[in-house]
Amino acid sequence: MLPWKRVLRPLTALLLAAAVATVPAATAHASSAPSTGWNDYSCRPSAAHPRPVILVHGTLGNSVDNWLSLAPYLEDRGYCVFSLDYGQLSGVPLFYGLGPIDKSAEQLSAYVDKVLSATGAAKADLVGHSQGGMMPRYYLRFLGGAAKVNALVGLAPDNHGATISGLTNLLPYFPGAEDLIKSSTPGLADQIPGSAFLTKLNAGGDTVPGVHYTVVATKYDEVATPWQSQYLSGSDVHNVLLQDLCSLDLSEHVAIGLFDRIAFHEVANALDPAHATATSCASAFS
């Protein structure tokens, strides 16, 4: 084994252990979001908001922590809101989205069916952050999801890969590095630009008919880079740059999904375009 590999393995384990140790105790039950509020399976969509909203977390996220702000934001506006965990690796608690993305899409498929059955709705809307904005596209294209989904809203989705500010471009200089990532965290490897997964996902076009797509990006993104790569092409796509709405917004990749109410306002507009209102810096206080 190359020396750098001997260093990488324990270093990775140490970083994961440190991250777990610093997560607040409240996240110990991240596998099940609160039974009241969001993930309330007795919730019935209203005439004003007839579709349940399913929140899809990003890499290293989970069904609770990723949505502590957005889930109540949407619930307060009358939506039935749900979230799932997906892509768990054996022996890695709390941090999800690391498994093969095609398998994660299968988990999303089963969860959508569960929510539709519980709520009696014909279709759902999906809102995802990072990988959670990209992974559902596999479900829509290859697993029959387009018949069950009205809209997909992506917050900083890595639709064409995550270069992490160019760091993935260095992988060829470390022989065996990409193979190590594939074997240990396949969900990360799938997000490297040019991966077999992304090649399959984007072949033949970015979108499928019948689904409304919205992408909300920030120019300060340091993960899904360049930020323009987040955008989708298609006849039913709305690509938005956060700084075009509010030049003062400094949110980067994580913040846009965790607490940016300007981005959340665009999410609400995408979910209910008939009642959309202009998004501005003032939306942070709405």
Side-chain angles (χ1 to χ4, degrees), residues 126 133-134 136-141 145-146 149-154 159 201 205-216 231-240 270:
L126 306 180
M134 174 270 290
R137 293 178 49 227
Y138 189 94
Y139 162 59
L140 299 177
R141 181 178 292 274
V149 172
N150 169 72
L152 170 61
V153 185
N159 282 313
L201 176 64
D206 291 344
T207 63
V208 295
V211 179
H212 309 292
Y213 295 84
T214 299
V215 171
V216 184
Y231 282 178
L232 295 171
S233 297
S235 59
D236 198 349
V237 172
H238 181 49
N239 293 313
V240 181

Side-chain angles (χ1 to χ4, degrees), residues 71-239:
Y73 180 95
L74 294 175
E75 185 196 8
D76 288 346
R77 284 155 178 77
Y79 290 93
C80 292
V81 182
F82 300 85
S83 61
L84 78 157
D85 290 315
Y86 68 86
Q88 183 179 22
L89 293 181
S90 177
V92 181
L94 303 179
F95 299 97
Y96 299 87
L98 296 172
I101 297 182
D102 58 347
K103 300 303 180 183
S104 293
E106 293 176 5
Q107 295 172 36
L108 174 62
S109 176
Y111 190 76
V112 171
D113 287 347
K114 177 181 177 181
V115 169
L116 293 181
S117 177
T119 60
K123 289 188 175 185
D125 289 324
L126 306 180
V127 179
H129 178 220
S130 192
Q131 180 190 161
M134 174 270 290
M135 175 270 280
R137 293 178 49 227
Y138 189 94
Y139 162 59
L140 299 177
R141 181 178 292 274
F142 298 109
L143 302 179
K148 303 173 184 180
V149 172
N150 169 72
L152 170 61
V153 185
L155 296 169
D158 54 340
N159 282 313
H160 300 94
T163 67
I164 316 177
S165 297
L167 285 178
T168 59
N169 297 329
L170 300 178
L171 287 174
Y173 296 98
F174 296 90
E178 192 163 348
D179 290 337
L180 178 60
I181 295 172
K182 288 178 180 178
S183 63
S184 58
T185 52
L188 296 181
D190 284 344
Q191 296 176 76
I192 297 173
S195 69
F197 173 82
L198 286 172
T199 299
K200 177 180 179 180
L201 176 64
N202 293 315
D206 291 344
T207 63
V208 295
V211 179
H212 309 292
Y213 295 84
T214 299
V215 171
V216 184
T218 170
K219 69 180 182 181
Y220 299 113
D221 202 305
E222 73 280 26
V223 176
T225 51
W227 62 262
Q228 294 91 338
S229 68
Q230 300 171 29
Y231 282 178
L232 295 171
S233 297
S235 59
D236 198 349
V237 172
H238 181 49
N239 293 313

